[in-house]
Amino acid sequence: MDLSITDVRLTPVLVADPPLLNTQGVHQPYTPRLIVEVVTDDGVVGVGETYGDTKYLELARPFAAKLIGRQVSDLNELFTVADEVAVDQSRVSGQVDVGGLRGVQTADKLRLSVVSGFEVACLDALGKAVGLPVHALLGGKVRDAVEYSAYLFYRWADHPEGVACEKDDWGAAVDPAGVVAQARVFKERYGFTSFKLKGGVFPPEEEIAAVRALAEAFPGHPLRLDPNGAWSVATSLTVAEEVGDVLEYLEDPTLGTSAMAEVAAGLKGAARSASDKGGGGRRAGVPLATNMCVTTFGEIKEAFAKDAVQVVLSDHHYWGGLRNTQQLAAICRTFGVGVSMHSNTHLGISLAAMTHVASTVPGLHHACDSHYPWQSEDVLTERLTFEGGKVAVRDAPGLGVELDRDKLRFLHQRWLDDDGALRERDDAAAMRIADPGWVTPAVPRW
C-alpha cells in the first residue's frame, strides 16, 4: 500500500446562497468554497472543503505543491508545510470582522483555514485506504448520531431585483411571525428541536420579541440568539434581562473578550443580587457562547481567565482541522467550559467532517450549528439528511461521501464565468445592491 501523495486537485466553486441577513448586510447570491482532492499513488482520492475566497486560494496552491511525495498519514507535517507558505501581507488584517465570519485575519489564521481542508482530505484518503471511517481514525465515536440546531435567519424572499440567482421556497422572515413560520418549516422538514436566531439585524427590542415568539411557539425547546457582537455591554445585559429565562445561551452579544467578560460579570452580579433577594433572577444562569473572541488556542487563556465565555463554538475550518477541534474540546473540558460547533455556509463534505469529529467529542451537550439546510446545491452524489434534527454518523471508509463530478464541474464553471465580483464573501457589497448608501455599521450598533 503506497499512501504517498501524487496529485492534489483544487477546485473553487460558487454555491447558491439565499438572501440571509446579518449585522454586516446580506449574503450574496453565490458564495465561494474550495474543494480539495488528495490523490495517492494507489489511486485513492480523499476530499476536503474550506473557504474559497481568493486569499485562501493564494495559499492553497503553493501548499498543494509542497504536499506531492508526502504521505497522507503525515498529518502533523501539514502544519509545518503551512508555515513555509508565505502570506501576502495585504491579506492580513488586525480588524475584527463584525459578522464573525473569520475573526481577526492574522497570517496564522489564514494558514489554518487552508490546512483544515487538506487535513480532512488526507483523513478521508487514509480512511479509504485502510478501510476505516474518519471517526475511527480520530479515536472512535461516542455517539451514533450528531444533533444539529435549526439556524434561523432574518431574510428577504429574494435577492435584490435584477440579481441573477437561484430561487427557493422559504419566503421572507423580517418579523417575529416570519421567524416562527421559518422555524416551523425547519421542524417539519428536518425534525430540529432547538433553534438559533441570527440577530444584530434589527433593534434589540424587535429581536427580543422574536425570541419570545419562538419560546411561545416551541415551549421547552432550546433557543439561542447571536447578534455577532452588535450590542454594547449595557444592551447585552438588557437583552439578557428580557429573554435570559428562555435562552440556552447568548452568543457573542458584544465584541471582544474584555467586553464579553463585562457582560459575564454583570450576569453573575445580577444572579447574586436576585438570589440575595430570594428570587431566581431572569438573567441568572445565562451562559455566553462565542465563535468570535476564541478562535485560536492563543486566545483561550485570556477568555478563560476572565470567565468571558462559558461555551466555545468550534469551527474546524479556522481551528485547523478535526484533530485540533478535539484538542480544543479537551481543553474546554479541563476548564469546565462547554463546547459545540459553529457553522458558516458549507457543503456536504464539511457537514460530513463536522459530524465525524462531533461524534468523537465527549460531553457535547449543545446541538451543533449548520447552514446546510439553506444550501440547495452540493457536490456530493447524495445529500446528507437530517432525521429528528440529527445526522447519522457514517461507518463507511473515510468520510463516507462521494463527489459528483458533474455537479462539481457545473459549480466550478460558475466560478470561472464570474467576473470576480462573487469570488470574495462580502455581505456589505451585497447589501449595497439593495441600498446604495449602505455602510457596514460601526459596533456596538446598539
Side-chain angles (χ1 to χ4, degrees):
M1 181 184 300
D2 191 340
L3 298 180
S4 60
I5 298 172
T6 58
D7 190 21
V8 178
R9 296 193 286 261
L10 303 177
T11 310
V13 297
L14 283 178
V15 183
D17 213 7
L20 308 179
L21 298 165
N22 56 45
T23 200
Q24 279 194 311
V26 63
H27 286 204
Q28 294 167 301
Y30 300 100
T31 196
R33 299 296 287 179
L34 175 62
I35 307 304
V36 177
E37 296 178 76
V38 171
V39 185
T40 73
D41 191 62
D42 284 348
V44 177
V45 180
V47 298
E49 174 192 345
T50 190
Y51 308 116
D53 311 62
T54 302
K55 57 191 170 187
Y56 300 102
L57 280 172
E58 290 173 348
L59 293 178
R61 286 166 176 150
F63 184 88
K66 289 178 177 291
L67 293 185
I68 303 301
R70 300 175 187 269
Q71 298 289 305
V72 295
S73 56
D74 290 341
L75 301 175
N76 293 330
E77 204 170 61
L78 294 175
F79 299 96
T80 303
V81 174
D83 288 340
E84 298 171 356
V85 178
V87 176
D88 182 345
Q89 289 304 301
S90 69
R91 302 296 190 185
V92 174
S93 170
Q95 300 299 311
V96 174
D97 184 337
V98 181
L101 305 179
R102 312 283 194 274
V104 179
Q105 289 290 278
T106 64
D108 284 342
K109 284 187 177 182
L110 290 171
R111 290 190 182 101
L112 287 173
S113 296
V114 171
V115 168
S116 68
F118 285 89
E119 188 225 41
V120 169
C122 286
L123 283 167
D124 184 39
L126 181 60
K128 289 173 178 174
V130 301
L132 292 173
V134 165
H135 66 74
L137 301 179
L138 297 174
K141 62 182 178 180
V142 296
R143 58 186 60 84
D144 292 322
V146 173
E147 184 178 5
Y148 287 87
S149 181
Y151 207 156
L152 310 179
F153 279 83
Y154 291 107
R155 58 159 291 166
W156 297 330
D158 298 294
H159 285 281
E161 186 176 353
V163 175
C165 58
E166 307 301 309
K167 303 293 185 181
D168 64 34
D169 61 354
W170 285 89
V174 292
D175 55 23
V179 169
V180 169
Q182 185 183 105
R184 291 193 190 283
V185 174
F186 266 107
K187 186 174 179 64
E188 291 167 2
R189 289 184 181 178
Y190 307 107
F192 291 117
T193 58
S194 67
F195 303 92
K196 169 178 169 175
L197 175 62
K198 177 66 73 179
V201 177
F202 296 111
E205 57 269 21
E206 295 184 34
E207 297 183 354
I208 288 170
V211 170
R212 281 286 168 202
L214 286 169
E216 182 177 348
F218 304 97
H221 287 54
L223 304 177
R224 305 125 179 227
L225 177 59
D226 172 20
N228 278 141
W231 303 334
S232 67
V233 170
T235 299
S236 300
L237 290 170
T238 298
V239 175
E241 175 92 37
E242 293 295 326
V243 293
D245 58 325
V246 297
L247 289 181
E248 179 183 14
Y249 57 67
L250 182 58
E251 180 180 340
D252 287 310
T254 193
L255 200 59
T257 297
S258 295
M260 289 281 283
E262 287 187 60
V263 176
L267 294 174
K268 285 186 176 181
R272 284 194 298 268
S273 176
S275 178
D276 291 343
K277 295 176 182 178
R282 291 175 68 180
R283 294 185 192 172
V286 185
L288 298 184
T290 187
N291 77 280
M292 293 175 66
C293 64
V294 180
T295 60
T296 66
F297 290 102
E299 294 166 335
I300 290 175
K301 182 178 179 180
E302 179 186 9
F304 286 13
K306 292 182 175 180
D307 196 21
V309 298
Q310 291 73 55
V311 181
V312 173
L313 304 178
S314 174
D315 186 321
H316 75 271
H317 299 96
Y318 56 70
W319 279 91
L322 308 188
R323 296 175 311 130
N324 274 9
T325 298
Q326 287 184 309
Q327 292 180 31
L328 169 64
I331 293 171
C332 289
R333 190 162 61 250
T334 300
F335 286 91
V337 174
V339 67
S340 188
M341 294 191 183
H342 163 261
S343 165
N344 206 322
T345 304
H346 64 83
L347 298 172
I349 297 171
S350 283
L351 180 59
M354 289 172 63
T355 302
H356 274 278
V357 69
S359 78
T360 71
V361 175
L364 189 70
H365 300 306
H366 304 282
C368 301
D369 294 342
S370 178
H371 281 66
Y372 192 63
W374 288 115
Q375 312 316 136
S376 59
E377 299 178 318
D378 206 348
V379 293
L380 301 182
T381 56
E382 179 185 1
R383 283 184 66 89
L384 277 69
T385 58
F386 296 88
E387 294 186 12
K390 298 180 180 181
V391 175
V393 183
R394 300 192 172 194
D395 292 322
L399 291 173
V401 299
E402 183 180 347
L403 275 181
D404 184 312
R405 294 289 168 187
D406 291 335
K407 292 177 181 176
L408 182 64
R409 190 177 303 111
F410 174 80
L411 297 181
H412 178 54
Q413 188 62 50
R414 181 186 288 156
W415 184 89
L416 292 172
D417 292 340
D418 178 60
D419 61 5
L422 297 175
R423 293 183 184 181
E424 317 292 338
R425 169 81 182 266
D426 191 339
D427 294 353
M431 180 63 88
R432 281 193 289 272
I433 295 174
D435 178 3
W438 176 263
V439 177
T440 301
V443 290
R445 190 173 178 183
W446 290 283

